[in-house]
């Protein structure tokens, strides 16, 4: 009886390594979003079975180097959207914009009493209204993130869902509501997609995400925003510029 935990035969492993090396060469030489040759054609070209091709492709999908689109085929991963973060800006409006054309779809938009926890977080009484917004953000038409925003409702009276579908949110706060953001405390950590997030972001359940939580203050020192966002780990990255002085170790 063959054990279910038996390791692949050396010949099978060598074939899979051959296929993987071939696919990595294609990925390196092709641009983002390039369609991959059909599995049956790859199998014929490389002289291996389709299950061997499929196993190598699945490995590279899990690594984020390939993506499978239902009904369309397998493609090299699209180029990641890059957001630059700097530690030297004194105004949040000066943070460089992320790449691509950003638009949004508002999923929910409602004002409710803050309650004790949100009231403490936003510097409000428990009975004060908090505007809670959930929106899916798109880059060039592709879902990129889910953003959950909480705002003191009295600061943004007259804000509409349509106002959040395009443009820079902080510019909107400044230009219409005379709320100028100054600084924020932001944390970033990895997580994975739950079923609801996977559905909104069109990605697999348990796909890697970047989770970002931000508390923002304006020029008067008021807390004006609490935001919790998740970004697709296969499509989004953050870069930082570091500056060292002469005494840095």
């Amino acid at each position: 009886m063959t054990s279910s935990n038996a390791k692949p035969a050396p010949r099978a492993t060598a074939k899979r390594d051959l296929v993987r090396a071939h696919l990595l060469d294609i990925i390196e030489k092709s641009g983002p979003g390039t369609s991959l040759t059909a599995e049956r054609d790859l199998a014929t070209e490389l002289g291996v079975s389709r299950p061997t091709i499929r196993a190598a492709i699945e490995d590279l999908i899990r690594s984020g180097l390939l993506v499978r689109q239902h009904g369309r085929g397998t493609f090299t991963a699209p180029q990641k959207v890059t957001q630059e973060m700097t530690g030297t800006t004194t105004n949040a409006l000066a943070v460089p914009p992320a790449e691509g054309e950003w638009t949004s779809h508002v999923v929910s938009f409602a004002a409710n009493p803050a309650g004790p926890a949100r009231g403490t977080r936003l510097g409000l009484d428990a009975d004060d209204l908090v505007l809670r917004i959930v929106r899916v953000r798109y880059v060039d038409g592709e879902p990129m993130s889910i953003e959950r925003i909480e705002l003191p409702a009295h600061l943004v009276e007259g804000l509409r869902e349509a106002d959040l579908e395009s443009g820079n949110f902080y510019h909107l706060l400044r230009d219409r509501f005379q709320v100028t953001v100054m600084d924020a405390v932001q944390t970033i950590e990895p997580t994975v997609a739950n079923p609801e997030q996977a559905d909104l972001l069109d990605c697999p359940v348990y796909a890697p995400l970047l989770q970002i939580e931000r508390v923002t203050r304006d020029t008067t020192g008021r807390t004006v925003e609490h935001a919790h966002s998740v970004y697709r780990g296969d499509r989004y990255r953050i870069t930082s510029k570091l500056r060292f002085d002469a005494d840095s170790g």
Side-chain angles (χ1 to χ4, degrees), residues 147-212:
E147 192 172 62
R148 301 177 185 272
I149 308 171
E150 298 175 350
L151 308 163
H154 71 275
L155 294 181
V156 290
E157 291 183 7
L159 183 67
R160 301 168 300 167
E161 291 185 38
D163 297 326
L164 297 162
E165 293 178 352
S166 61
N168 185 298
F169 179 57
Y170 292 143
H171 289 174
L172 175 67
L173 288 180
R174 179 192 62 189
D175 297 340
R176 186 185 299 181
F177 302 104
Q178 291 72 56
V179 175
T180 302
V181 298
M182 175 57 70
D183 56 39
V185 175
Q186 181 166 276
T187 60
I188 303 172
E189 58 185 323
T191 186
V192 295
N194 61 35
E196 177 190 6
Q197 292 167 335
D199 183 55
L200 290 173
L201 293 175
D202 191 24
C203 68
V205 177
Y206 304 123
L209 302 176
L210 282 177
Q211 178 175 269
I212 299 177

Side-chain angles (χ1 to χ4, degrees), residues 112-167:
N112 295 290
R118 289 190 182 87
T120 299
R121 192 158 55 218
L122 292 170
L124 302 173
D125 293 332
D127 294 333
D128 290 338
L129 293 180
V130 171
L131 180 60
R132 301 176 64 192
I133 302 161
V134 179
R135 61 179 182 168
V136 178
R137 307 208 65 197
Y138 298 80
V139 178
D140 299 330
E142 295 290 329
M144 181 64 61
S145 72
I146 304 168
E147 192 172 62
R148 301 177 185 272
I149 308 171
E150 298 175 350
L151 308 163
H154 71 275
L155 294 181
V156 290
E157 291 183 7
L159 183 67
R160 301 168 300 167
E161 291 185 38
D163 297 326
L164 297 162
E165 293 178 352
S166 61

Side-chain angles (χ1 to χ4, degrees), residues 3-207:
S3 169
S4 60
N5 295 322
K7 295 181 179 180
R11 182 175 175 80
T13 301
K15 286 185 176 181
R16 184 180 298 185
D17 290 344
L18 169 69
V19 174
R20 180 182 175 86
H22 178 78
L23 294 175
L24 287 173
D25 187 58
I26 292 174
I27 292 169
E28 182 178 352
K29 293 178 179 177
S30 305
T34 300
S35 177
L36 209 64
T37 303
E39 290 180 4
R40 63 177 177 275
D41 295 331
L42 280 172
T44 300
E45 178 184 349
L46 298 177
V48 299
S49 67
R50 287 185 65 178
T52 299
I53 294 288
R54 191 171 299 117
I57 288 175
E58 290 295 336
D59 284 345
L60 293 173
I61 288 174
R62 284 191 291 270
S63 300
L65 297 175
L66 294 175
V67 293
R68 178 170 285 135
Q69 298 182 13
H70 182 68
R72 295 190 59 206
T74 305
F75 299 81
T76 58
Q79 183 175 354
K80 290 193 176 186
V81 172
T82 299
Q83 169 69 67
E84 181 182 333
M85 296 291 181
T86 68
T88 57
T89 181
T90 58
N91 189 323
L93 295 176
V95 174
E99 299 171 336
E101 180 184 357
W102 288 73
T103 57
S104 302
H105 168 67
V106 177
V107 177
S108 64
F109 185 97
N112 295 290
R118 289 190 182 87
T120 299
R121 192 158 55 218
L122 292 170
L124 302 173
D125 293 332
D127 294 333
D128 290 338
L129 293 180
V130 171
L131 180 60
R132 301 176 64 192
I133 302 161
V134 179
R135 61 179 182 168
V136 178
R137 307 208 65 197
Y138 298 80
V139 178
D140 299 330
E142 295 290 329
M144 181 64 61
S145 72
I146 304 168
E147 192 172 62
R148 301 177 185 272
I149 308 171
E150 298 175 350
L151 308 163
H154 71 275
L155 294 181
V156 290
E157 291 183 7
L159 183 67
R160 301 168 300 167
E161 291 185 38
D163 297 326
L164 297 162
E165 293 178 352
S166 61
N168 185 298
F169 179 57
Y170 292 143
H171 289 174
L172 175 67
L173 288 180
R174 179 192 62 189
D175 297 340
R176 186 185 299 181
F177 302 104
Q178 291 72 56
V179 175
T180 302
V181 298
M182 175 57 70
D183 56 39
V185 175
Q186 181 166 276
T187 60
I188 303 172
E189 58 185 323
T191 186
V192 295
N194 61 35
E196 177 190 6
Q197 292 167 335
D199 183 55
L200 290 173
L201 293 175
D202 191 24
C203 68
V205 177
Y206 304 123

Side-chain angles (χ1 to χ4, degrees), residues 88 241-249:
T88 57
K241 288 184 178 179
L242 305 178
R243 179 174 296 173
F244 302 96
D245 59 34
D247 296 326
S248 298

